[in-house]
Amino acid sequence: MKIEAARAALGHVEDGMRLGIGTGSTAEEFVRLLAERVAGGLRIVGVPTSERTAKLCRELGVPLSTLDETPELDLTVDGADEIDAALSLIKGGGGALLREKIVAAASARMIVIADDSKVVETLGRFPLPIEVNRFGLRATEIAIERAASSLGLSGPVTLRMTNGEAFVTDGGHCILDASFGRIPDARALSDALHAIPGVVEHGLFLGLADVAVIAGSKGIRSLVAAR
């Protein structure tokens, strides 16, 4: 299903595009299909959202640029951990949320590719990743818990670990995964988290996605954001 969603998104890519290329298992299927088109003569330049994606693109021959060299993009194609009917997203399960959001915001359009399991009525089933500065980590964690409590949210906020050590993002930060459950007002939570000095960015992607290409057992469907 991920491959079919990626294939449908590839139909939106046109010759000469400046393309933001996302991170994660679904985005990697898109990269593989994109590489086939590039080998066949498609001319694009890609801006990857993570070192992992950049490595795969280089291995497969997808031409790359940086956001400094190409600061305005035509389209970003990326996956998501959760999608609601308004095309609000939770992203960051792979830890690349800061770069993903910067690239998405620099793009004229964003297409999200996912399978049916990622579609939810209300965001929050997937833990919300929050990228934080390593300095003052505990103080930031307490501030996040208090901000959530003021909005009626609760649940464990845990430091993401890998191989027994704190996970470190491409930007050199840590990630706190907040298991708040249902988030009735994602905009209010977004604003509250952005007001905390130690929070670098969070995984609520609001008002960024234009189209979601969803693959399921009955085929491909597209959700379009109301603007």
Side-chain angles (χ1 to χ4, degrees):
M1 288 193 289
K2 291 178 179 180
I3 293 172
E4 292 310 308
R7 195 184 311 280
L10 189 59
H12 293 264
V13 176
E14 300 174 4
D15 197 61
M17 271 190 165
R18 301 159 298 176
L19 194 62
I21 304 176
T23 296
S25 59
T26 308
E28 287 177 6
E29 298 297 348
F30 174 78
V31 171
R32 292 187 176 94
L33 293 172
L34 178 66
E36 292 176 5
R37 289 280 307 278
V38 168
L42 178 70
R43 296 171 303 161
I44 59 97
V45 62
V47 172
T49 58
S50 68
E51 298 302 324
R52 174 177 166 178
T53 296
K55 181 176 182 290
L56 180 61
C57 287
R58 286 192 291 266
E59 289 173 353
L60 297 178
V62 175
L64 295 182
S65 180
T66 68
L67 206 54
D68 288 326
E69 296 167 341
T70 312
E72 294 182 317
L73 305 177
D74 301 300
L75 175 67
T76 284
V77 177
D78 205 347
D81 298 301
E82 282 191 346
I83 307 169
D84 72 9
L87 266 58
S88 297
L89 317 171
I90 286 181
K91 288 177 54 56
L97 63 100
L98 174 61
R99 293 190 183 186
E100 287 174 336
K101 191 174 284 190
I102 292 171
V103 169
S107 302
R109 297 174 65 229
M110 181 185 187
I111 294 178
V112 179
I113 50 178
D115 61 65
D116 258 335
S117 69
K118 304 299 175 66
V119 179
V120 297
E121 182 177 337
T122 305
L123 296 179
R125 182 178 64 193
F126 190 90
L128 176 66
I130 305 170
E131 189 160 346
V132 296
N133 197 293
R134 285 187 278 186
F135 177 81
L137 181 60
R138 179 58 185 147
T140 299
E141 183 179 353
I142 291 170
I144 289 170
E145 291 168 345
R146 287 175 176 165
S149 179
S150 72
L151 296 172
L153 301 173
S154 62
V157 177
T158 58
L159 178 65
R160 187 178 299 184
M161 305 292 288
T162 181
N163 298 322
E165 297 183 352
F167 174 86
V168 178
T169 69
D170 286 347
H173 307 121
C174 294
I175 288 190
L176 296 171
D177 289 307
S179 299
F180 293 142
R182 294 178 72 257
I183 302 173
D185 191 340
R187 178 60 65 185
L189 179 58
S190 171
D191 292 344
L193 292 175
H194 276 147
I196 298 170
V199 171
V200 178
E201 191 49 87
H202 58 69
L204 291 168
F205 282 54
L206 310 178
L208 288 171
D210 297 282
V211 177
V213 178
I214 308 297
S217 58
K218 297 181 180 179
I220 298 291
R221 60 191 174 104
S222 293
L223 307 176
V224 180
R227 291 283 190 259

